[in-house]
Amino acid sequence: HLIKEALDRIEKKIDGKYNNFLSIKQVCELTSLSTSTIRRAIKRGQLKCFKKLGKILFLESDVIDWIKN
């Protein structure tokens, strides 16, 4: 019981500090927007992305914030 309580406390501390990375395809599915629209948003500086190993990745929290705005 004590271990579960300790794990719950740890989980609450780290909750929100780590984000999932999404591919451009996943962003399209999440937003129901086309790849072209996503790429335009990147080019305009509206949507932040990371380019790693030839792939474009997005923080899920950045995508959600972009959708809200």
Side-chain angles (χ1 to χ4, degrees):
H1 185 68
L2 293 175
I3 294 173
K4 183 175 180 345
E5 287 177 3
L7 288 174
D8 287 341
R9 282 195 308 272
I10 292 168
E11 188 176 53
K12 285 179 185 176
K13 286 182 181 180
I14 64 171
D15 192 33
K17 292 185 182 177
Y18 297 96
N19 286 291
N20 293 327
F21 282 95
L22 303 174
S23 68
I24 194 162
K25 181 180 176 183
Q26 291 171 314
V27 172
C28 291
E29 290 171 4
L30 178 67
T31 61
S32 298
L33 297 171
S34 69
T35 304
S36 302
T37 302
I38 303 301
R39 291 183 188 277
R40 272 194 304 275
I42 296 167
K43 192 172 184 176
R44 292 177 182 158
Q46 298 169 336
L47 181 58
K48 185 178 175 184
C49 71
F50 301 89
K51 296 180 182 177
K52 298 286 182 183
L53 301 171
K55 293 189 176 197
I56 300 173
L57 299 174
F58 305 84
L59 283 175
E60 186 176 12
S61 60
D62 288 343
V63 175
I64 292 169
D65 288 344
W66 177 64
I67 292 168
K68 289 179 181 178
N69 295 324

